[in-house]
């Protein structure tokens, strides 16, 4: 969760995009809205609009496909947000999931101790006005909630602070109900909640967000090998969905920033205008979780090897990333403002999203909306296409404006129905990034597009 202090430098030929441009595009085109906006909003909480929900679903599905459905030794679960409160004592979150904060006695600003420059920490001085700072106070990030309605009988518990806890809780059930044996993994995508003291940078640090986790259970003697394996695989996975490959790196955690459960950790980081920031954590959780849950629940979660009969507590490699950070980083990575050129006289804003993740795969456009035959043919093709991919029919404004609208939301293909179509059944297929156009027979269009928008990852 840390952010390094290095100054961002733009690499390659595209400058870093200011976050405000992404926020504005998201609101304008229906990707993301502030939650409860008519009441003034809630800091660190967002809603997803019509295009946002399509993009999010595609991101989730691609992760699920590449992590669960294409790995024989990985299965999936969906655990609930609310669990028994003892879970969070066993996990260490009640005790350790805290931020230490100080307040400036003069300007009343609040700072996280681990974000203060060393000099200010030593002199106990506010980094903004130089005023005296209060003693650090601890704030737990867990969000409390209550089960039951009768006062005095209600049970206090927590909205999960990390989604992965369900995986440890269901581990024994999965083992007994599925044909898995160590080494194997359990995956889950789910919401997590944190009372972040300093939410901000749009979707980057929210109070309600979504995580994807793989917990991979191994024999202790094989821990290093599997840790290295998943570390590399996850890095390659992120690399496969971005354009700016040079903006991705690994960063090992220093001893002072390791989470209470981790013996070793690496962050996959992505570089934006905000600097290098965590995208996913690869954690060496060892036997922390299963040992603690065994101790706190009284249920023995150790494993007996079916062949050697050796009994041991499995160790865990965790890969834990954020759906929201993926959503945000993909938009940042894809965004480009292209100046006017020979191909586009006005210039355009374009999202170079990977076609398989783009919210809309194809837009079907009749050249003119007042020509009945053009409209009917376009609608017929659209209804054929939408059975196999997300297709949008659009007849509002001139064709150039419609292309630009689709470019701005990352639609990889536009199909235009014109007067030649009525004669020979061919249509124009325009590709978003190159703006190149080819003519195809209408019957060839579904297969042509499907080949270009399908899941693509080395499995
Ligand atoms: N189970 C381990 C765990 O929760 P983490 O590093 O705290 O580790 C994992 O979180 C991932 O969840 C992060 O890499 C990030 O992508 C995402 N994440 C964490 N806190 C977040 C927040 N406040 N808002 C959005 N995403 C967050």
């Amino acid at each position: 969760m840390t952010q390094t202090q290095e100054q961002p430098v733009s690499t390659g030929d595209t400058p870093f995009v200011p976050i405000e441009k992404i926020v504005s595009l998201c609101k304008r085109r229906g990707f993301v809205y502030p939650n409860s906006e008519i009441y003034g909003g809630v800091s660190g909480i967002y809603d997803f609009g019509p295009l946002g929900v399509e993009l999010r679903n595609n991101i989730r599905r691609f992760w699920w496909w590449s992590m669960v459905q294409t790995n024989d030794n990985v299965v999936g679960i969906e655990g609930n947000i609310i669990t028994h409160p003892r879970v969070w004592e066993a996990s260490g979150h009640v005790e350790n999931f805290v931020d230490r904060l100080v307040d400036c006695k003069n300007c009343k600003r609040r700072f996280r101790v681990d974000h203060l420059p060393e000099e200010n920490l030593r002199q106990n001085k506010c980094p903004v006005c130089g005023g005296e700072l209060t003693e650090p106070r601890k704030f737990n990030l867990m969000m409390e909630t209550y089960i039951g309605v009768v006062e005095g009988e209600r049970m206090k518990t927590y909205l999960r602070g990390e989604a992965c806890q369900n995986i440890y809780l269901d581990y024994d059930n999965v083992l007994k109900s599925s044909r898995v044996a160590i080494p194997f993994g359990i995956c889950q995508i789910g919401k997590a909640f944190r009372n972040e003291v300093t939410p901000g940078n749009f979707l980057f640090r929210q109070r309600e967000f979504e995580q994807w986790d793989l917990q991979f259970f191994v024999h202790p003697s094989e821990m290093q090998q599997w840790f290295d394996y998943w570390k590399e695989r996850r890095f390659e996975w992120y690399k496969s969905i971005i354009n700016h490959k040079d903006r991705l790196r690994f960063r090992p955690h220093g001893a002072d920033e390791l989470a209470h459960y981790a013996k070793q950790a690496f962050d996959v980081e992505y570089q934006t205008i905000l600097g290098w920031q965590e995208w996913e954590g690869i954690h060496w959780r060892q036997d922390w979780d299963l040992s603690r849950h065994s101790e706190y629940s009284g249920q023995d979660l150790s494993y007996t090897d079916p062949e050697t009969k050796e009994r041991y507590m499995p160790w865990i490699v965790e890969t834990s990333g954020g759906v929201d950070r993926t959503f945000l980083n993909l938009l940042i990575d894809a965004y480009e403002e292209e100046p006017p050129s020979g191909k586009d006289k006005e210039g355009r804003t374009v999202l170079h999203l990977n076609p398989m993740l783009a919210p809309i795969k194809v837009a079907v456009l009749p050249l003119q909306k007042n020509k009945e035959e053009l409209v009917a043919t376009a609608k017929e093709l659209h209804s054929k296409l939408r059975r196999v991919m997300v297709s949008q029919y659009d007849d509002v404004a001139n064709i150039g404006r419609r292309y630009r609208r689709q470019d701005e939301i990352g639609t990889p293909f536009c199909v235009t129905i014109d007067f030649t179509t009525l004669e020979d059944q061919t249509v124009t297929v325009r590709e978003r990034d190159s703006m190149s156009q080819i003519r195809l027979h209408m019957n060839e269009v579904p297969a042509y597009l499907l080949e270009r928008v399908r899941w693509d990852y080395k499995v």
Side-chain angles (χ1 to χ4, degrees), residues 1 162 164 194 196 203-207 209 211 213 261 278-281 283 285 318 320-322 324-325:
M1 278 189 288
E162 57 172 5
C164 65
R194 294 179 188 174
E196 295 282 1
L203 304 179
F204 185 79
R205 183 161 290 110
Q206 298 170 83
R207 290 183 164 134
F209 55 97
Q211 294 183 310
D213 289 292
Y261 50 74
E278 176 187 341
W279 194 343
E280 169 158 315
H283 304 132
R285 290 184 83 120
E318 172 183 69
S320 182
D324 306 270
R325 280 193 196 172

Side-chain angles (χ1 to χ4, degrees), residues 32-47:
V32 184
Y33 311 125
N35 174 279
S36 317
E37 194 179 14
I38 58 171
Y39 290 98
V42 185
S43 167
I45 303 192
Y46 291 90
D47 287 349

Side-chain angles (χ1 to χ4, degrees), residues 9 49 60 62 111 138 161 169 187 196 202 230 232 253 284 307 321 335-336 358 388 398 401:
V9 278
R60 282 201 205 97
F62 179 58
F111 304 95
K138 280 185 179 178
L169 302 178
C187 277
E196 295 282 1
F202 194 33
W230 284 112
E232 287 315 311
H253 278 210
W284 178 297
E307 293 194 348
Y335 185 96
E336 191 181 3
V388 289
N398 70 44
R401 288 267 302 277

Side-chain angles (χ1 to χ4, degrees), residues 28-240:
R28 196 170 67 247
R29 303 309 309 268
F31 282 91
V32 184
Y33 311 125
N35 174 279
S36 317
E37 194 179 14
I38 58 171
Y39 290 98
V42 185
S43 167
I45 303 192
Y46 291 90
D47 287 349
F48 292 84
L51 291 181
V53 77
E54 293 293 340
L55 177 58
R56 247 179 116 75
N57 283 341
N58 291 345
I59 293 171
R60 282 201 205 97
R61 280 195 213 118
F62 179 58
W63 184 89
W64 194 261
W65 175 78
S66 55
M67 293 296 284
V68 182
Q69 296 172 339
T70 54
N71 280 303
D72 291 334
N73 57 355
V74 177
V75 293
I77 62 156
E78 188 169 311
N80 248 321
I81 286 165
I82 294 179
T83 56
H84 196 285
R86 290 274 286 164
V87 170
W88 303 102
E89 290 166 31
S91 71
H93 282 72
V94 172
E95 190 186 344
N96 297 313
F97 203 44
V98 290
D99 276 346
R100 290 170 65 234
L101 302 179
V102 288
D103 293 296
C104 172
K105 291 182 182 173
N106 182 43
C107 70
K108 311 294 179 207
R109 284 190 173 84
R110 179 166 286 173
F111 304 95
R112 267 173 65 167
V113 172
D114 60 338
H115 286 178
L116 275 179
E118 225 165 81
E119 176 100 347
N120 296 77
L121 204 57
R122 221 178 21 254
Q123 299 176 346
N124 203 35
K125 269 191 177 169
C126 170
V128 178
C129 75
E132 192 189 341
L133 297 172
T134 60
E135 282 298 304
R137 287 183 297 157
K138 280 185 179 178
F139 285 85
N140 194 291
L141 304 188
M142 297 295 288
M143 280 198 194
E144 295 174 4
T145 188
Y146 294 86
I147 301 175
V149 288
V150 180
E151 201 57 54
E153 291 175 18
R154 299 197 310 167
M155 180 165 73
K156 183 174 111 177
T157 185
Y158 303 92
L159 303 184
R160 61 186 178 198
E162 57 172 5
C164 65
Q165 285 299 322
N166 297 87
I167 296 180
Y168 316 130
L169 302 178
D170 290 340
Y171 157 79
D172 201 40
N173 277 326
V174 170
L175 204 56
K176 288 174 180 152
S177 60
S178 324
R179 288 171 44 221
V180 287
I182 281 179
F184 78 98
I186 304 178
C187 277
Q188 181 188 238
I189 301 180
K191 290 275 192 171
F193 300 81
R194 294 179 188 174
N195 261 324
E196 295 282 1
V197 184
T198 50
N201 291 329
F202 194 33
L203 304 179
F204 185 79
R205 183 161 290 110
Q206 298 170 83
R207 290 183 164 134
E208 175 180 344
F209 55 97
E210 198 164 40
Q211 294 183 310
W212 47 43
D213 289 292
L214 161 74
Q215 307 293 320
F216 201 77
F217 301 87
V218 301
H219 187 281
S221 65
E222 295 187 339
M223 182 70 179
Q224 187 70 57
Q225 155 197 342
W226 284 109
F227 186 77
D228 294 343
Y229 172 82
W230 284 112
K231 190 172 144 231
E232 287 315 311
R233 263 202 84 146
R234 293 303 299 145
F235 192 80
E236 290 306 315
W237 189 89
Y238 283 108
K239 214 158 119 188
S240 79

